Amino acid sequence: MKKLAAVIIVLLFTTFGWYRFSLLPVDSGSQERHNIKIPQGTSVKGVAQILKDKGVIKSPLSFELFIRFKRSADNVQAGTFIIRSSQSVSEIAEILRTGKAEEAIITIPEGYTVTQIDTLLSEKGFSEAGEISKCARTCDFSSFEFLPEVEGLAQRGGKLEGYLYPDTYYVAKEDFVAKFFLERMLTTFRKRVLMQYEEAIEKSDRTIHELVTMASLIEKETRSDAQRPVVSGILWKRYDDGRGLGVDATVRYIINKPTDEITREDLNNGSMYNTRKFRGLPPGPISTISIESFKASIKPEQSPYWYYLHGTDGQIHYAESNEEHNINRYNYIK
């Protein structure tokens, strides 16, 4: 009888130990975040399995037991949550009970300007309208040595335009600070672009600012990865030959006219960003850049072409001469 009691006690302690261990984080030192969707009407057992499949809990059974012990089964909410591998079952249960994650997803698209980033963040309630743009112009970012010190940069984006890395970021709304978020984007740019392609940048014989500025033109002037190296080759060839780049996207940028038709008055704008009027690169980038655009900027594809245009047929049309380019205009611009 005593032996049976001892066995039961050992089993109880072992089970309790397993249960306590199973409630601990999967990886307390991890910064990995998981975007987890809980469909409407999912049972506690189903929720536990989803969490296990996503790798944020150790045991579906221990999660289910915890929820039932806490009598929270009816309080688990449906929705999409950001859950970290470093969170315990208790913390995860609280997120699912309140329906609120401590972090939200913010995706900054490729080709966005500082102004568009400002609008996106203000619309999502992270900042006041104009706060991001103001900080981009006035906050101290001197620790980022790669930022340009050149004349004539557009005021609304300042030296940060083009250097904010487009990516998906996890942000805690209650702790959001404009300067810290911009520093995070700049740090990501340093890691993903400058450090990753350091050797290629050195071999290019171009400055970082030239490469990033050109990459932003490529970003706005192309519609597929296949087009980027060819367009890069055309633009660099025109640049090196002293010809005007003639990039409409730079005009659209300086007059803040993303989509409407460009008028003759627009093309006569006196800003140095007007590459229809002034030769060379604009003073700075005109948008965030993708890795593919930056790679195309570093490694342009050589071709016989000097011109390109996007036709209303949805295709890009290249030309070796101005005469051929004008024929393409006639044939493909309706």
Side-chain angles (χ1 to χ4, degrees), residues 12 33 42 51 63 68 83 108 137 140 147 183 196 203 206 223 237 254 261 263 284 292:
L12 287 173
R33 295 163 171 84
T42 306
L51 296 175
F63 177 86
R68 300 201 183 281
I83 297 176
I108 307 299
R137 296 191 307 271
D140 180 13
L147 291 176
E183 286 179 335
Q196 188 74 21
K203 290 180 179 179
R206 312 276 188 188
R223 298 172 184 172
K237 186 161 61 171
I254 200 59
E261 185 178 350
T263 65
E292 291 304 318

Side-chain angles (χ1 to χ4, degrees), residues 253-273:
Y253 172 77
I254 200 59
I255 64 175
N256 199 20
K257 198 175 187 179
T259 56
D260 293 342
E261 185 178 350
I262 297 177
T263 65
R264 185 177 297 275
E265 182 182 358
D266 295 335
L267 296 177
N268 284 325
N269 186 283
S271 169
M272 292 302 295
Y273 278 83

Side-chain angles (χ1 to χ4, degrees), residues 196-216:
Q196 188 74 21
Y197 296 95
E198 184 176 5
E199 186 176 346
I201 291 170
E202 291 179 0
K203 290 180 179 179
S204 72
D205 292 326
R206 312 276 188 188
T207 68
I208 291 172
H209 191 58
E210 286 175 329
L211 290 169
V212 175
T213 300
M214 180 61 82
S216 73

Side-chain angles (χ1 to χ4, degrees), residues 284-302:
I286 61 174
S287 74
T288 61
I289 60 173
S290 63
I291 285 295
E292 291 304 318
S293 288
F294 189 73
K295 286 163 62 177
S297 179
I298 295 175
K299 194 173 182 180
E301 183 176 318
Q302 302 303 313

Side-chain angles (χ1 to χ4, degrees), residues 107-113 116 164-167 219-220 225 228 287-293:
T107 298
I108 307 299
E110 296 161 348
Y112 257 38
T113 63
Q116 289 174 308
L164 300 173
Y165 191 79
D167 202 359
E219 186 69 41
K220 303 300 284 188
D225 290 345
R228 299 183 202 275
S287 74
T288 61
I289 60 173
S290 63
I291 285 295
E292 291 304 318
S293 288

